Amino acid sequence: MTSKPTKAAAARKSEAKGSAQDEVPASNRAARAAERRAAIIEAALEEFIARGFAATRLDDIAKRAGVAKGTIYLHFKDKESMFEELVRLVIVPVVERLTKLPPPTGSVRDLVEVFASTFLREVANTRRGDLVRLIVAEGPRFPAVADFYYREVVQRGIGGMRALIELGIARGEIREKGLARFPQILVAPVLISVIWQSLFERHAPLDAQAMLRVHLDLIFGERRTT
Amino acid sequence: MTSKPTKAAAARKSEAKGSAQDEVPASNRAARAAERRAAIIEAALEEFIARGFAATRLDDIAKRAGVAKGTIYLHFKDKESMFEELVRLVIVPVVERLTKLPPPTGSVRDLVEVFASTFLREVANTRRGDLVRLIVAEGPRFPAVADFYYREVVQRGIGGMRALIELGIARGEIREKGLARFPQILVAPVLISVIWQSLFERHAPLDAQAMLRVHLDLIFGERRTT
Amino acid sequence: MTSKPTKAAAARKSEAKGSAQDEVPASNRAARAAERRAAIIEAALEEFIARGFAATRLDDIAKRAGVAKGTIYLHFKDKESMFEELVRLVIVPVVERLTKLPPPTGSVRDLVEVFASTFLREVANTRRGDLVRLIVAEGPRFPAVADFYYREVVQRGIGGMRALIELGIARGEIREKGLARFPQILVAPVLISVIWQSLFERHAPLDAQAMLRVHLDLIFGERRTT
Amino acid sequence: MTSKPTKAAAARKSEAKGSAQDEVPASNRAARAAERRAAIIEAALEEFIARGFAATRLDDIAKRAGVAKGTIYLHFKDKESMFEELVRLVIVPVVERLTKLPPPTGSVRDLVEVFASTFLREVANTRRGDLVRLIVAEGPRFPAVADFYYREVVQRGIGGMRALIELGIARGEIREKGLARFPQILVAPVLISVIWQSLFERHAPLDAQAMLRVHLDLIFGERRTT
DNA sequence: GATGAATGAGATTTCATTCAT
DNA sequence: GATGAATGAAATCTCATTCAT
């Protein structure tokens, strides 16, 4: 009923009991600590996503990570800071990967489409999509999280979108000039998909890719060839 | 720090002590009970929206409603059922009002615009908007709530949108035929606004009405005159 | 799941609504009150027996008796006194009936057998048997109840038994003279039956009458004819 | 008014602070936990006996055991399971000791007398006697407890008694053959004593040993020499 | 007299955090 | 560093008792 240790955690445990006399030199203390930390972070992410902040028990995180409850406090000050830090830890590498912009060759539509598809594939249908929902859910009670997310993700994202839109307008690919004022419109369907998946998928599955294409058709005009 | 009794609750209290300065002559027991129930519902809604389900304390709801803790249990079985019932109680009248369709005269765009503006005015910038965010936040842990919301709001809304879109396509107002498959696109910006308001408003205010107009321009083509 | 109003209670209720204009003169206020009181007593007895003192809810008693919770407080000071008074109210008439001794004609054995059979029939297999178990259960926490029960039932019972035993010894029906010091032995199997019924009947039914006969055979010597 | 920590608990506490004046050198964590568990069990037993299940407060158990309330939940799932487990924990060792049968040398009467005296000494006048009363009191609301008690104690006890009675009949020590059908009669006075002690001792003390001897005289015939 | 909505003290249970080992 | 038993504050929920109608 409650979460069980993952295979990784189990492995770590048996390893801890099996290799009694430290024959594994590579796995020194620091490395072990880092491993544990990573396990805690992953476990915490899963639990927070599944239950929300308040309903998540540190006990469950510890069990899932395969560590003792006290160990969590060696890595995080308390539950709140763990949550806030967690969001940062998960978001930062994603943002970093996305900011290595691929050079804007080809049409703007192609660019947007590739970008959005990647996003859908890598975010919408993964744990990270749920993280977005988690932030929406807990944001009001964690201004620090909302602020961080705004600064690191939303602001940059909006900026990037706007640049793309303006490029599209300049090149004549986009007719609706007002779009530059509201780049949010560009990503709206993506957010909708993320939310839809976690709330309504069992009632009516949603083909996010197809929806996205229709949306892009609206913006860029319908494609002659698909 | 914790919630205080609202003016309404205070009023009810002083009134109870004998001062009947308004035109309600005989506040019988049933009426009193109904009043209290309403106070509890309103208080609970505020608290749940502000803190989420798990972090809301019944103590605070009671205090805010101006009743004793035990009184809540005269009206609701437990915290969970209170939450679920609450969502129903708030949503039902909204849905009922919206289903009294105004006759579809004029252009589809006008219809959509009026409808969406009303929605933005009545939902997005009110407590009800936060309720939507609350449902997004708690839905995964309250399948009954998600189900209810899907059945009562989403399904009907999607159906209504689709009908409008098809009408628009038939009349030649909407060019993008794929839109009929994804009426979600039509409301996506509205949802975005709701979420934006509660998370990012202090960073960057969003003119939801203007964004909506741009979005409708995308769908219906730009207006000649504004 | 919880107790429902008995037929009597239902009758009283419908009667209360049905005979609106007091056409029933016999059922005046005082009579009504007495009726209610009786209903409360019966309901309370059932509930206390089924759940014990602490686990019994006044709510359930009221429901079962078909009265409002407040009404109970018109008849009893509080839950504790209700319990204590209840035991008295139920035991007194039983004791009164038993003290109208039938004249001691015939053999002592016959007397004891008739008496014990009557007791088994009227107490052991009825609600009153459970009352004995209830007193055993709650006695330590209700010294007043234990005292009353000792004074009214046990002491008299022991006295009566002793008189019978001495008569039996004098007449040569009973050989074991020590029995007069311990009349408890005479009733021990009856108490055993009462307890056995409520705890172990579903595991192994016990023929109390047969057991009693064997016990009397031990005391009076085996009968030549049965 | 409420229960106070026992001497044992107090001892454990002071010991915890460093004074180790006894021969237990290294009180490791597991041993400590076991100690606490034992303290909880003992405290709970006392409280349940004194007040019955429903009226016993976990707070008082904790105080008496000298632990925090939460600690109880490290050992028991909840109040109900604690009660059920408790009965098992106390009864099992008693049963185990009794099943190490002393070899049936000597007369059956001697055997029964030794056995019953032992029982009276070890059960009737100790906490364990009250446990029997507790089981009688709570049995109907704890079928699991009644079942366990029947299986482990009553059934075996009845079986053992029956074997003895049949031996007695075969050897000509017992005349009343019907007794083999109702071994309950053999133990009835013992149960009576247990109940009498806890309810009526202050009104009229009962010499259980003497009563037992009279009872055995009834069954085995009077002794020539005492 | 009768009602039953309201109360609030008090019970059980949970869980973040600490700390001796 | 790591552990996990222990803590106790705080949460949910119950229910005997009161009292305005």
Side-chain angles (χ1 to χ4, degrees):
Chain A
M1 192 176 288
T2 52
S3 51
K4 295 184 215 146
T6 58
K7 266 175 280 176
R12 200 159 356 86
K13 279 216 152 177
S14 72
E15 181 190 10
K17 295 200 174 184
S19 66
Q21 277 81 17
D22 293 358
E23 303 147 294
V24 187
S27 208
N28 56 18
R29 272 238 206 117
R32 284 289 179 82
E35 238 177 76
R36 278 166 198 278
R37 188 183 163 85
I40 291 169
I41 289 167
E42 197 191 300
L45 185 63
E46 302 249 9
E47 294 288 331
F48 281 134
I49 284 171
R51 296 171 168 34
F53 175 79
T56 290
R57 289 185 293 265
L58 290 192
D59 238 341
D60 287 345
I61 294 177
K63 230 172 272 164
R64 191 190 273 266
V67 302
K69 235 191 309 182
T71 306
I72 294 175
Y73 286 84
L74 299 175
H75 294 276
F76 301 94
K77 184 175 147 284
D78 58 16
K79 198 183 171 190
E80 282 204 17
S81 358
M82 176 162 60
F83 180 70
E84 300 190 352
E85 215 169 312
L86 191 71
V87 174
R88 280 185 184 80
L89 286 168
V90 175
I91 283 174
V92 164
V94 176
V95 168
E96 281 187 352
R97 243 187 320 138
L98 289 182
T99 41
K100 291 177 204 158
L101 293 158
T105 60
S107 71
V108 172
R109 161 142 198 174
D110 285 342
L111 211 63
V112 169
E113 192 151 2
V114 165
F115 182 81
S117 291
T118 308
F119 186 83
L120 274 180
R121 203 175 346 100
E122 298 224 336
V123 175
N125 301 316
T126 67
R127 192 84 25 79
R128 282 184 283 273
D130 292 317
L131 181 64
V132 172
R133 211 193 32 84
L134 182 62
I135 290 167
V136 168
E138 305 290 353
R141 262 149 295 152
F142 289 90
V145 166
D147 291 0
F148 173 82
Y149 191 70
Y150 179 76
R151 231 179 318 113
E152 295 300 313
V153 179
V154 176
Q155 203 169 32
R156 294 178 183 208
I158 294 288
M161 293 294 122
R162 179 169 289 127
L164 272 179
I165 290 165
E166 282 167 350
L167 185 61
I169 292 171
R171 288 196 190 171
E173 286 185 66
I174 296 173
R175 296 171 95 196
E176 176 55 48
K177 300 202 173 54
L179 202 58
R181 282 179 59 212
F182 299 108
Q184 289 92 341
I185 291 174
L186 208 62
V187 292
V190 174
L191 190 65
I192 291 278
S193 313
V194 166
I195 290 172
W196 189 282
Q197 305 296 351
S198 62
L199 291 185
F200 308 129
E201 193 164 35
R202 67 183 177 292
H203 298 107
L206 180 67
D207 183 343
Q209 297 277 1
M211 181 167 77
L212 181 67
R213 263 195 309 273
V214 171
H215 190 236
L216 294 182
D217 283 347
L218 270 178
I219 292 169
F220 291 95
E222 205 148 349
R223 286 209 143 153
R224 293 135 310 242
T225 58
T226 305
Chain B
M1 188 177 289
T2 53
S3 49
K4 296 186 215 144
T6 60
K7 267 175 279 175
R12 197 160 1 85
K13 283 214 149 178
S14 71
E15 181 190 11
K17 302 220 168 159
S19 69
Q21 74 277 53
D22 48 12
E23 52 273 278
V24 181
S27 205
N28 58 15
R29 287 213 293 203
R32 282 294 175 81
E35 241 177 73
R36 274 164 199 276
R37 189 185 162 84
I40 291 168
I41 289 168
E42 197 191 299
L45 186 62
E46 303 248 9
E47 294 286 331
F48 280 135
I49 284 171
R51 295 171 169 36
F53 175 79
T56 290
R57 291 184 294 263
L58 291 187
D59 236 346
D60 287 345
I61 293 177
K63 237 170 261 165
R64 190 190 274 266
V67 302
K69 243 183 308 176
T71 305
I72 293 174
Y73 288 87
L74 298 177
H75 295 278
F76 302 95
K77 188 177 143 284
D78 58 15
K79 198 184 170 187
E80 281 203 17
S81 354
M82 175 160 63
F83 180 70
E84 299 190 354
E85 216 170 312
L86 193 70
V87 173
R88 280 185 182 78
L89 286 168
V90 174
I91 283 174
V92 163
V94 177
V95 168
E96 281 187 352
R97 232 168 350 119
L98 289 183
T99 43
K100 289 179 206 157
L101 294 156
T105 60
S107 70
V108 171
R109 159 138 200 177
D110 285 343
L111 212 64
V112 170
E113 193 151 0
V114 166
F115 182 81
S117 292
T118 309
F119 186 84
L120 274 181
R121 201 175 346 97
E122 298 224 336
V123 175
N125 301 317
T126 66
R127 189 86 25 79
R128 283 185 281 273
D130 292 318
L131 181 65
V132 172
R133 208 191 39 81
L134 183 62
I135 290 167
V136 168
E138 305 289 353
R141 263 149 296 153
F142 288 91
V145 165
D147 290 358
F148 173 81
Y149 191 70
Y150 179 76
R151 228 178 322 112
E152 295 298 314
V153 179
V154 175
Q155 203 171 31
R156 295 178 182 209
I158 295 287
M161 294 294 120
R162 179 169 289 127
L164 274 178
I165 291 165
E166 282 168 351
L167 186 62
I169 292 170
R171 289 200 190 168
E173 288 184 63
I174 295 173
R175 297 170 93 194
E176 176 55 48
K177 300 201 172 57
L179 201 58
R181 283 178 60 210
F182 299 106
Q184 288 92 342
I185 291 173
L186 209 63
V187 292
V190 174
L191 190 65
I192 291 278
S193 317
V194 166
I195 291 171
W196 189 281
Q197 305 296 351
S198 62
L199 291 184
F200 309 128
E201 195 166 33
R202 68 183 176 291
H203 299 108
L206 180 68
D207 182 343
Q209 297 277 2
M211 180 169 77
L212 181 66
R213 263 195 307 275
V214 171
H215 188 58
L216 293 182
D217 284 346
L218 270 178
I219 291 168
F220 289 95
E222 205 148 347
R223 286 208 142 153
R224 294 135 310 243
T225 57
T226 307
Chain C
M1 190 176 288
T2 53
S3 50
K4 293 184 215 147
T6 59
K7 267 174 281 176
R12 201 159 356 87
K13 279 216 150 178
S14 71
E15 182 190 10
K17 294 200 173 181
S19 66
Q21 275 82 19
D22 292 2
E23 304 148 292
V24 187
S27 209
N28 56 17
R29 269 237 209 121
R32 284 290 179 82
E35 237 178 76
R36 278 166 197 278
R37 188 183 163 84
I40 291 169
I41 289 167
E42 197 191 300
L45 185 62
E46 302 248 9
E47 293 288 331
F48 281 135
I49 284 170
R51 296 175 170 31
F53 175 79
T56 289
R57 290 185 292 263
L58 291 192
D59 238 341
D60 287 344
I61 294 177
K63 229 172 272 165
R64 191 190 273 266
V67 303
K69 233 189 316 180
T71 306
I72 294 175
Y73 285 85
L74 299 175
H75 294 277
F76 301 95
K77 183 175 149 285
D78 58 14
K79 198 185 171 189
E80 283 205 15
S81 359
M82 177 162 60
F83 180 70
E84 299 189 352
E85 216 170 312
L86 190 71
V87 174
R88 280 185 183 80
L89 286 168
V90 175
I91 282 173
V92 164
V94 176
V95 168
E96 282 187 352
R97 236 178 335 129
L98 289 183
T99 44
K100 291 178 203 158
L101 294 158
T105 62
S107 71
V108 172
R109 162 143 197 174
D110 285 343
L111 211 65
V112 170
E113 194 153 358
V114 167
F115 182 81
S117 292
T118 309
F119 186 84
L120 274 181
R121 200 173 350 96
E122 298 224 335
V123 175
N125 302 317
T126 67
R127 192 84 25 78
R128 283 186 283 273
D130 292 318
L131 181 64
V132 172
R133 210 191 37 81
L134 182 63
I135 291 167
V136 168
E138 306 289 353
R141 261 149 297 152
F142 288 91
V145 165
D147 291 359
F148 173 81
Y149 191 71
Y150 179 75
R151 230 178 318 111
E152 296 299 313
V153 179
V154 175
Q155 204 169 32
R156 294 176 183 211
I158 294 287
M161 291 296 121
R162 178 170 289 127
L164 273 179
I165 290 165
E166 282 166 352
L167 185 62
I169 292 171
R171 288 196 190 171
E173 287 184 65
I174 296 173
R175 296 171 95 194
E176 176 55 47
K177 299 200 174 58
L179 201 59
R181 285 177 59 210
F182 299 107
Q184 288 93 342
I185 291 174
L186 208 64
V187 292
V190 175
L191 189 66
I192 291 278
S193 315
V194 167
I195 290 172
W196 189 281
Q197 305 296 349
S198 62
L199 290 185
F200 308 129
E201 194 166 33
R202 67 182 176 292
H203 298 108
L206 181 66
D207 182 342
Q209 297 276 2
M211 181 168 76
L212 181 67
R213 263 194 308 273
V214 170
H215 188 57
L216 294 182
D217 284 346
L218 271 179
I219 292 169
F220 291 94
E222 205 148 346
R223 285 208 144 153
R224 292 135 310 240
T225 58
T226 306
Chain D
M1 190 176 286
T2 53
S3 51
K4 295 183 216 146
T6 60
K7 267 173 280 173
R12 198 159 1 86
K13 282 213 149 180
S14 71
E15 181 191 12
K17 303 219 165 158
S19 69
Q21 73 278 53
D22 48 13
E23 52 273 279
V24 181
S27 207
N28 59 16
R29 287 214 294 201
R32 282 293 175 81
E35 244 176 73
R36 272 162 200 276
R37 188 185 162 86
I40 291 169
I41 288 168
E42 198 192 298
L45 186 62
E46 303 248 9
E47 293 288 331
F48 281 136
I49 283 171
R51 296 170 167 39
F53 176 79
T56 290
R57 293 184 292 263
L58 290 187
D59 235 346
D60 287 345
I61 294 177
K63 237 171 260 163
R64 190 190 274 267
V67 303
K69 244 184 307 178
T71 305
I72 293 174
Y73 287 86
L74 298 177
H75 295 278
F76 301 95
K77 188 177 143 284
D78 57 16
K79 197 183 170 189
E80 281 204 16
S81 355
M82 176 160 61
F83 180 70
E84 299 191 351
E85 215 170 312
L86 193 69
V87 173
R88 279 185 183 79
L89 287 168
V90 175
I91 283 175
V92 163
V94 176
V95 169
E96 281 187 351
R97 241 184 325 133
L98 290 182
T99 43
K100 288 179 207 157
L101 294 158
T105 60
S107 70
V108 171
R109 160 139 199 179
D110 285 342
L111 211 63
V112 170
E113 193 153 0
V114 165
F115 182 81
S117 293
T118 310
F119 186 84
L120 274 180
R121 202 176 346 100
E122 297 223 336
V123 174
N125 301 317
T126 67
R127 190 87 25 78
R128 282 186 282 273
D130 293 317
L131 181 64
V132 172
R133 208 192 37 81
L134 183 62
I135 290 168
V136 168
E138 305 290 354
R141 264 150 293 152
F142 288 90
V145 165
D147 289 0
F148 173 81
Y149 192 70
Y150 180 76
R151 231 179 319 113
E152 296 298 313
V153 179
V154 175
Q155 204 171 31
R156 294 176 182 210
I158 295 286
M161 293 295 121
R162 179 169 288 129
L164 274 178
I165 291 165
E166 281 167 352
L167 186 61
I169 291 172
R171 288 197 190 170
E173 288 184 65
I174 296 174
R175 296 171 94 196
E176 176 55 48
K177 299 201 172 57
L179 201 60
R181 283 178 60 209
F182 298 107
Q184 288 92 342
I185 290 174
L186 209 63
V187 292
V190 174
L191 189 66
I192 291 281
S193 315
V194 167
I195 291 172
W196 189 282
Q197 306 295 350
S198 62
L199 291 184
F200 308 130
E201 193 165 35
R202 67 183 175 291
H203 299 107
L206 180 68
D207 182 342
Q209 296 278 0
M211 180 168 77
L212 181 67
R213 262 194 308 272
V214 170
H215 188 58
L216 294 182
D217 284 345
L218 270 178
I219 292 169
F220 290 95
E222 204 148 347
R223 286 206 144 157
R224 291 137 310 246
T225 57
T226 308

